[in-house]
């Protein structure tokens, strides 16, 4: 529970923790002291509806996950150089959800560790170095991953593009290089895949082979993008023709979030060579996994270099992952994600008809994005509106975030226990906030005009905190739109 | 507890887990189902005295650590984009043990993640690329760390030495490039440091600056090596003159293991620019940390690139680390490590007088190594003897390991609750096993001679498992040597 006054927590945080580790709502950060299911509670006991935490997958403080962790912690927590049942049971569960070619697991502590190992395996297996990744993609915080994450290396202060890294356009049909205004869905898939083929060709022309193509199956930081149906199938063929492996990064989108399937790559007719998984796997506990083929695992083994990961696959991490897995099954969370996700998507699409600033609504299961624009024709990204929405939603005690290359896509990736009632609350509040946007624009114009007269002006009306209990909003007629 | 018969666990492990993840005692691995303090228990309830697990620092299944983890898990586990007290309290505790120049913490999930970040910070702060590391050093399993870990990249199937990596000789006074038979301790420190100066010179001659020097303060995988007193002081000067940062890797040796100090670098008169810590920090839970100066943290911040580590510094990890910290203090574990470590060291030195195969006994606190040799004059490493000792100790239900470039150094790095009685048991058993060694050599010679006559021979006497309860050994007169 709370041990320090919030002001002191803030002061210590600023003084003692690396400033590159940024807080949500930096100017007025949230202090969260407990959380349950899809709600987080601040130090005053105020509840926030959590639409951000894709890690708290089966709900914050899920009792069966907590119990599994506590029971195992009291018994044993050691490294995987000793035999233990939880690790092999966890591997069995994971492999039961995957295509037959994926047979071997490596347990690690984070999605980043899994992706780093994926690149290492690909280099060892193919003997090649060149990596193809997507524009705006993010694959983790480690050196090897920052190098391939356009989302990071391409920032003004970023490390820039290394020679062995190739960036293919993001297969975003709405605001990518090729758009749905000019091409059919199938054409878009082919065109975006063709870009990857061209990169493979260029690599081959330098008498080199491709090492790997890595992509999130649905692109999260890239702006909640769902690639066209035929895209990955085409890409995988091109990459394999060039000698490369295909890596599906399921760290953000896996474990049933998309509803219909356990893994987002199963939305496509493909069989990756390596799948990496993380975030939701431990419901907050640091555990992650890489799954690959026997052949690739053997290539690694044949180097004679042992792989030892101190905490990877320890009994507590695996007991927790097993409990997460069982909870998804027992509580039918994939089916729920599908039903509630469809409902949220439909409601957002209705909202889009009312508010022209919603340019695109896309999603699958509880992976949903709203692409905010200045106008529907130009599709010019409206970052300002997105920032306003995120801030105002927080004031209404709903946590959402904005992402994508232009920071204009409102992301929904809530815990899987999110309900239709939660979806109603979100959409209703969003409706109200988007109505304010026009008023806000008018007000801003007024402030500017006043400021030009040198008079100091403070406008509190739309930026002050609203501490009405969440329920008062909830109680409004949810069918009003 | 046990859910599958051991044979099935083995079969599933072989089938489902990457073969590069190796088990201890591969031919007959241990299945451990619970552990308490310094003891691990197999599926039959047999106890093993644990001299291997430097991670289970305050004792396996330590009740206050387990309680802290369980309490926090039931309340909240989320990322550090929200304010939380545990992370700032943890930072306060860590910083209170360090020199004043080290002011800023970054929380991560593993020692590997900490070391990767250390290299990244050093590159950003200095603008340089060249890394100096030590011969036989190991800094983690990530791509960037395998590249600088001579222990890994130099293996027959390893990735080889990259251009930006420079390897300085291990400052091992017993079997390194310069030895105590020819030089005084001070001379050894200067000579080994001079090797680093020469590397700095070579880097400067290529019109480049040094990025960083990274070393474990005491070398663990390198063979339990304690560098000469003046070594690091000299090295740090050379590295800083060449524009580089000095990174102290305390992942294996930190958190009071050496007794007198919290961190092994404090054995020397130095102030590192970056300190990394991991393994013991969470007593098995995946948590690790990097501490650096304000200036270096600011250089990273000034790139404008955010650092986000999903689980790094989460409330559960920090609550656990805080409980580990408090347990070390409350139970005076540093003082105990010092007293018991001295006692173990003394006993081993007495043993060395009896057994000529013990070439060197070295250590500090509960970080102890026995360098086994063929004879005292040649100091030729005796890997075979070390392997025999490890195997036989396991049969006597004592877990030790062998490491070092020649795999001939018996390592002791037990949980810090290890007692004098445990030390007696270890030394007594070791005494008995070393007596067997000569007998074994005679037997081996006999087998060879028999085999040359083409007769199939099975010798079970010294390799069969000994399931006497640990106590029967214990009860022998411990003062027999």
């Amino acid at each position: 529970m709370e041990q320090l006054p919030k002001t002191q927590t803030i002061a210590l945080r600023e003084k003692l923790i690396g400033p590159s580790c940024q807080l949500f709502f930096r100017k007025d950060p949230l202090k969260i002291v407990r959380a349950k299911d899809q709600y987080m509670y601040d130090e005053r006991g105020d509840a926030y509806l959590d639409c951000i935490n894709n890690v708290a997958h089966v709900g914050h403080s899920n009792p069966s996950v907590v119990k599994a962790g506590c029971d195992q912690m009291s018994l044993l927590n050691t490294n995987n150089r000793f035999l233990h049942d939880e690790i092999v049971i966890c591997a069995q569960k994971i492999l039961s959800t995957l295509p037959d070619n994926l047979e071997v697991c490596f347990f690690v502590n984070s999605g980043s560790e899994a992706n780093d190992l994926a690149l290492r395996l690909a280099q060892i297996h193919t003997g090649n170095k060149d990596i193809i990744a997507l524009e705006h993609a993010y694959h983790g915080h480690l050196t090897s991953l920052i190098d391939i994450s356009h989302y990071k290396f391409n920032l003004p202060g970023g490390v820039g593009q290394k020679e062995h890294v190739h960036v293919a356009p993001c297969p975003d049909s709405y605001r990518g290089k090729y758009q749905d205004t000019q091409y059919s869905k199938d054409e878009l898939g082919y065109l975006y895949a063709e870009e990857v083929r061209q990169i493979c060709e260029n690599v081959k022309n330098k008498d080199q082979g491709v090492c790997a193509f890595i992509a999130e199956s649905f692109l999260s930081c890239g702006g909640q993008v769902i690639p066209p149906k035929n895209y990955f199938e085409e890409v995988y063929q091109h990459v394999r023709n060039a000698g490369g492996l295909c890596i599906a990064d399921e760290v953000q989108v896996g474990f049933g979030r998309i509803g219909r399937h356990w893994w987002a790559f199963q939305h496509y007719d493909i069989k990756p060579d390596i799948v990496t998984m993380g975030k939701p796997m431990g419901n907050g506990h640091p555990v992650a996994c890489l799954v690959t083929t026997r052949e690739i695992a053997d290539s690694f083994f044949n180097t004679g270099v042992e792989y030892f990961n101190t905490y990877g696959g320890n009994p507590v991490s695996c007991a927790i992952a097993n409990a997460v897995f069982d909870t998804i099954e027992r509580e039918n969370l994939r089916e729920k994600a599908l039903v509630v996700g469809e409902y949220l998507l439909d409601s957002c699409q209705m909202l889009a008809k009312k508010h022209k600033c919603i340019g695109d609504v896309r999603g699958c299961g509880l992976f949903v994005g709203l692409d905010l624009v200045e106008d529907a024709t130009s599709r010019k990204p409206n970052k300002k509106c997105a920032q306003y929405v995120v801030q105002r939603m927080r004031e209404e005690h709903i946590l959402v975030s904005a992402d994508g290359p232009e920071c204009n896509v409102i992301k929904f990736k809530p815990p899987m226990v999110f309900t239709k009632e939660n979806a109603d609350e979100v959409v209703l509040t969003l409706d109200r906030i988007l109505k304010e946007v026009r008023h806000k624009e008018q007000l801003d114009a007024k402030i500017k005009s006043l400021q030009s007269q040198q008079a100091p002006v403070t406008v509190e009306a739309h930026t002050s905190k609203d501490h009405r209990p969440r329920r008062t909003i909830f109680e409004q007629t949810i069918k009003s739109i």
Side-chain angles (χ1 to χ4, degrees), chain A residues 142-205:
Chain A
L142 298 167
T143 308
S144 62
L145 304 173
I146 297 293
D147 279 352
I148 63 160
S149 294
H150 180 259
Y151 183 76
K152 288 283 179 183
F153 75 66
N154 201 45
L155 289 171
V159 291
Q161 188 165 349
K162 300 276 163 74
E163 217 178 310
H164 71 290
V165 177
H166 308 272
V167 178
C170 177
D172 178 349
S173 309
Y174 182 73
R175 65 167 62 261
K177 181 170 177 181
Y178 309 106
Q179 297 184 4
D180 53 11
T181 44
Q182 283 194 285
Y183 302 100
S184 73
K185 281 183 182 174
D186 262 11
E187 284 170 337
L188 286 166
Y190 282 110
L191 283 166
Y192 279 115
E194 177 61 18
E195 297 271 340
V196 176
R197 195 196 60 75
Q198 194 54 58
I199 292 172
C200 293
E201 206 59 47
N202 295 345
V203 172
K204 283 202 282 186
N205 287 343

Side-chain angles (χ1 to χ4, degrees), chain A residues 236-301:
Chain A
Y236 276 30
Q237 275 179 28
H238 300 321
V239 171
R240 284 170 175 156
N241 288 341
L245 299 185
C246 298
I247 304 169
D249 178 342
E250 294 275 340
V251 172
Q252 299 211 44
V253 293
F255 280 93
R257 171 157 299 279
I258 74 160
R260 207 175 303 276
H261 304 283
W262 267 96
W263 311 102
F265 79 80
Q266 291 165 332
H267 181 71
Y268 305 93
D269 189 19
I270 51 171
K271 284 187 181 184
D273 303 298
I274 298 176
V275 175
T276 56
M277 45 193 76
K279 290 187 193 286
M281 185 170 172
N283 215 46
H285 181 89
V287 57
C289 188
L290 174 151
V291 188
T292 189
T293 65
R294 171 63 55 194
E295 210 185 348
I296 293 168
D298 282 348
S299 294
F300 188 26
F301 179 67

Side-chain angles (χ1 to χ4, degrees), chain A residues 13 52 71 74 85 258 268 300 314 348 360 383 416 467:
Chain A
R13 165 100 188 196
I52 287 181
D71 287 352
S74 331
D85 291 336
I258 74 160
Y268 305 93
F300 188 26
N314 72 64
C348 287
D360 192 29
K383 179 180 174 179
M416 302 270 280
H467 293 306

Side-chain angles (χ1 to χ4, degrees), chain A residues 46-285:
Chain A
D46 285 355
Y48 291 81
L49 175 62
D50 181 2
C51 306
I52 287 181
N53 274 287
N54 54 346
V55 172
H57 195 58
V58 297
H60 288 281
S61 316
N62 181 287
S64 41
V65 175
V66 171
K67 186 175 183 312
C70 293
D71 287 352
Q72 187 56 52
M73 273 173 87
S74 331
L75 270 184
L76 172 71
N77 196 8
T78 192
N79 66 58
N80 73 32
R81 279 180 172 151
F82 300 99
L83 292 168
H84 200 274
D85 291 336
E86 292 292 349
I87 186 173
V88 297
I89 291 170
C90 193
Q92 274 185 313
K93 285 185 199 288
I94 289 170
L95 293 171
S96 73
T97 63
L98 288 165
D100 288 347
N101 68 315
L102 296 165
E103 295 183 83
V104 184
C105 298
F106 290 84
F107 286 90
V108 296
N109 304 302
S110 63
S112 289
E113 286 191 358
N115 280 338
D116 180 85
L117 180 59
L119 297 184
R120 212 175 138 203
L121 290 182
Q123 276 155 15
I124 288 168
H125 187 71
T126 65
N128 299 331
K129 283 185 79 174
D130 289 77
I131 305 286
I132 306 171
L134 297 182
E135 212 179 348
H136 317 308
Y138 177 62
H139 296 290
H141 57 72
L142 298 167
T143 308
S144 62
L145 304 173
I146 297 293
D147 279 352
I148 63 160
S149 294
H150 180 259
Y151 183 76
K152 288 283 179 183
F153 75 66
N154 201 45
L155 289 171
V159 291
Q161 188 165 349
K162 300 276 163 74
E163 217 178 310
H164 71 290
V165 177
H166 308 272
V167 178
C170 177
D172 178 349
S173 309
Y174 182 73
R175 65 167 62 261
K177 181 170 177 181
Y178 309 106
Q179 297 184 4
D180 53 11
T181 44
Q182 283 194 285
Y183 302 100
S184 73
K185 281 183 182 174
D186 262 11
E187 284 170 337
L188 286 166
Y190 282 110
L191 283 166
Y192 279 115
E194 177 61 18
E195 297 271 340
V196 176
R197 195 196 60 75
Q198 194 54 58
I199 292 172
C200 293
E201 206 59 47
N202 295 345
V203 172
K204 283 202 282 186
N205 287 343
K206 288 189 290 178
D207 282 334
Q208 289 162 13
V210 168
C211 173
F213 167 81
I214 182 168
E216 285 187 284
S217 308
F218 289 181
L219 287 84
S220 188
C221 294
Q224 305 292 87
V225 173
I226 300 179
K229 265 282 185 189
N230 56 341
Y231 174 70
F232 283 117
E233 207 179 322
E234 295 288 323
V235 165
Y236 276 30
Q237 275 179 28
H238 300 321
V239 171
R240 284 170 175 156
N241 288 341
L245 299 185
C246 298
I247 304 169
D249 178 342
E250 294 275 340
V251 172
Q252 299 211 44
V253 293
F255 280 93
R257 171 157 299 279
I258 74 160
R260 207 175 303 276
H261 304 283
W262 267 96
W263 311 102
F265 79 80
Q266 291 165 332
H267 181 71
Y268 305 93
D269 189 19
I270 51 171
K271 284 187 181 184
D273 303 298
I274 298 176
V275 175
T276 56
M277 45 193 76
K279 290 187 193 286
M281 185 170 172
N283 215 46
H285 181 89

